[in-house]
């Protein structure tokens, strides 16, 4: 008999998506271009990560916008824009209590800093939110998920410029006023920790506009601007809609020491510092003491004003959230394997996904405990899942027992963490309906409970088919996790 886990009565079971990978319709109803629209499909898998992390330039942006022949999958996603009613109905059928999606800034403010919002953009999201509420599904909204209005990148180098804080808070204020009373859970930025590594993806930064500053310096400056913007948005949200809550979010990478050698253990501590830095600021209201050395080691100097310190101090986040897919290794030597936006060393105790990411359910419990010990705030696990190659049978079935097994083992570890005393409030597996992969711009890597008929070249009927995991997750939710 397998163990029975007790999840809180109001536990928020659901799934997660992001506008740039899901919505499509990038040229419709007044939306402006975004940084995600320049992400071209690279046929060679070995070059994909490299392509995504390579610094972007104005020249490359212009080439992408003028490229008539290239394939840009994030421009069409899986067309949630026109399928939202059908998709939300499927989520409701699974029994979802919550659904995480993001709003595209350029759909609301096409140039990023327009005075007045694009009503058609606001109306689309209002339709989505109303449709969710119709089924009693709580919207969980990310304000900025890996896309940035391209006009603001070209005009002021994205988050490198302090003026972007004001543009963001203006955008956030529009959302809070419009969706007041309808959206209770907000997340300011997706996976904030990646800004220090990927200036364009996470911050809309163009390398040719960095002047004589190093890329690291510019990325850290952008990080500081995002932190201040997140705190200002929290302040605004609490003023406009006091019942609503703001979360901060990172991509949690649980990096174990390579060995018990003290230097490897220290490397793991340093890896945590780099990973938790932004959440430490937003949850605790100030830069942690280790930041001084971390900045010095990276040759970074930040302009942190007394007003910045005050807004951070007075507006900490209400809950913390993170994505968790895999664990890695800190320190030591050894063979490399792929991971979430970065490679890591192989852990001999773990299996890997088709994409080389190390599968480690216990690592989720380790992370949950560490995060709760660190912040004592409610935790929302807002991404988790297995990117896998699925096969659609002739009768439109997908037998994804590998996905069920991955999710089963991770949910068990959430159950264990709840017994450890960790306050976990919800769980939204990634890509609950198949969507375009963030790192590979491909469809072959699928996470969903629902299969979408579309291939890497953008061919397919876009029909939605339930995978075996659909009924399995439906049962998990119906039994509130007691029957996995
Ligand atoms: C997270 C992102 O890093 O991982 C998502 O927030 C992304 O946008 C997910 O899709 C999975 O990564 P990938 O590259 O497999 O799509």
């Amino acid at each position: 008999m397998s163990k029975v886990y007790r999840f809180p009565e109001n536990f928020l079971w659901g799934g997660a998506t992001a506008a740039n990978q899901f919505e499509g319709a990038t040229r419709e109803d007044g939306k402006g271009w975004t940084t995600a629209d320049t992400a071209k499909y690279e046929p060679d898998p070995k070059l994909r990560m490299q392509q995504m992390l390579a610094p972007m330039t104005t020249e490359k942006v212009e080439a992408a916008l003028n490229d008539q022949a290239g394939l840009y999958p994030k421009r069409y996603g899986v067309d949630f824009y026109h399928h939202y009613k059908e998709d939300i109905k499927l989520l409701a059928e699974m029994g979802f209590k919550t659904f995480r999606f993001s709003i595209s800034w350029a759909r609301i403010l096409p140039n990023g800093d327009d005075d007045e919002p694009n009503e058609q953009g606001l109306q689309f999201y209002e339709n989505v939110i109303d449709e969710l509420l119709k089924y009693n599904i709580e919207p969980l909204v990310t304000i900025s998920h890996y896309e940035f209005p391209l006009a603001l990148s070209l005009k002021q180098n994205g988050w490198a410029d302090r003026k972007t804080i004001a543009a963001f808070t203006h955008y956030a204020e529009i959302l809070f006023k419009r969706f007041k009373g309808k959206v209770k859970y907000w997340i300011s930025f997706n996976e904030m920790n990646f800004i220090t590594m990927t200036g364009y993806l996470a911050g809309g930064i163009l390398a040719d506009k960095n002047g004589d500053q190093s890329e690291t310096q510019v990325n850290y400056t952008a990080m500081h601007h995002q932190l201040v913007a997140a705190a200002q948005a929290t302040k605004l949200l609490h003023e406009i809609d006091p019942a609503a809550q703001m979360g901060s979010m990172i991509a949690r990478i649980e990096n174990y020491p390579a060995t018990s050698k003290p230097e490897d253990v220290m490397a793991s501590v340093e890896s945590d510092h780099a990973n938790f830095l932004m959440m430490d600021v937003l949850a605790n209201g100030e830069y942690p003491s280790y930041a001084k050395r971390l900045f010095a080691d990276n040759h970074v100097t930040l302009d942190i004003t007394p007003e910045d310190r005050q807004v951070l101090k007075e507006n900490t986040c209400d809950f913390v959230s993170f994505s968790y897919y895999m664990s890695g290794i800190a320190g030591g030597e050894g063979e490399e394997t792929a991971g979430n936006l970065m490679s890591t060393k192989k852990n001999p105790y773990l299996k890997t996904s088709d994409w080389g990411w190390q599968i480690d359910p216990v690592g989720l419990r380790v992370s949950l405990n560490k995060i709760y010990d660190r912040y004592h705030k409610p935790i929302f696990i807002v991404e988790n899942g297995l990117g896998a190659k699925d096969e659609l049978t002739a009768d439109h079935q997908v037998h994804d027992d590998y996905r069920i097994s991955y999710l089963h083992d991770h949910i068990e570890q959430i159950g264990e963490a709840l017994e450890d005393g960790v306050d976990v409030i919800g769980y939204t597996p990634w890509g609950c309906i198949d969507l375009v992969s963030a790192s590979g711009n491909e469809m072959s890597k699928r996470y969903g409970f629902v299969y979408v008929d579309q291939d890497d070249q953008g061919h397919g009927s876009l029909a939605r088919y339930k995978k075996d995991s659909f009924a399995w997750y439906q049962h998990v939710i119906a039994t509130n996790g007691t029957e996995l």
Side-chain angles (χ1 to χ4, degrees), residues 18 21 145-146 190-191 194 323 325 340 357 383 430 436-440 445 447:
Q21 294 162 255
H145 189 133
Y146 288 163
N190 184 62
E191 300 188 331
F194 281 136
S323 63
Y325 293 90
N340 192 4
W357 298 18
E383 284 184 38
W430 178 248
V436 174
S437 149
S439 55
K445 188 183 195 186
Y447 287 87

Side-chain angles (χ1 to χ4, degrees), residues 42-86:
E42 165 56 60
D44 183 349
K46 289 194 287 302
L47 300 178
R48 284 184 193 148
M49 191 65 80
Q50 202 178 315
Q51 182 211 42
M52 197 189 63
L53 300 180
M56 195 64 172
T57 60
T58 306
E59 199 184 332
K60 287 199 221 168
V61 165
E62 281 163 1
L65 298 187
N66 293 323
D67 178 9
Q68 307 295 329
L71 198 60
Y72 295 85
K74 287 174 183 155
R75 296 183 189 175
Y76 51 80
V78 292
D79 201 28
F80 175 68
Y81 197 77
H82 298 107
H83 288 73
Y84 73 92
K85 285 194 179 174
E86 174 191 351

Side-chain angles (χ1 to χ4, degrees), residues 196-270:
T196 57
M197 286 169 274
T198 61
Y200 184 65
L201 177 80
I205 292 165
L206 297 169
D208 55 298
K209 294 186 182 287
N210 289 348
D212 52 9
Q213 297 189 76
S214 73
E215 197 186 332
T216 313
Q217 172 65 46
V218 175
N219 288 354
Y220 273 89
T221 300
M223 173 200 78
H224 177 65
H225 294 158
Q226 288 191 347
L227 288 170
V228 174
Q232 285 190 2
T234 305
K235 182 172 192 283
L236 276 169
L237 179 66
H238 290 159
E239 285 164 4
I240 295 168
D241 193 357
Q245 298 186 19
M246 181 64 80
S248 61
M249 187 207 170
I250 57 165
R252 175 63 188 146
I253 312 283
E254 189 61 56
N255 275 335
Y256 302 127
T259 67
S260 52
K261 190 173 153 200
E263 284 78 4
D264 290 347
V265 178
M266 194 57 218
S268 174
V269 171
E270 284 171 352

Side-chain angles (χ1 to χ4, degrees), residues 169-182:
T169 48
H170 173 55
Y171 158 53
E173 187 175 359
I174 291 167
L175 302 184
F176 300 156
K177 287 188 170 154
R178 179 69 169 239
F179 304 128
K180 179 182 167 161
K182 292 187 173 183

Side-chain angles (χ1 to χ4, degrees), residues 19 22-31 75-85 87 104 107 118-125 127-128 464:
F22 197 42
E23 247 172 45
T26 200
R27 302 281 72 225
E28 282 183 51
D29 296 338
K31 185 182 181 223
R75 296 183 189 175
Y76 51 80
V78 292
D79 201 28
F80 175 68
Y81 197 77
H82 298 107
H83 288 73
Y84 73 92
K85 285 194 179 174
D87 286 348
S104 174
R107 212 179 267 295
N118 168 29
E119 177 53 31
Q120 285 171 296
L122 279 171
Q123 191 57 57
F124 167 67
Y125 293 111
N127 294 344
V128 169
R464 274 66 170 152

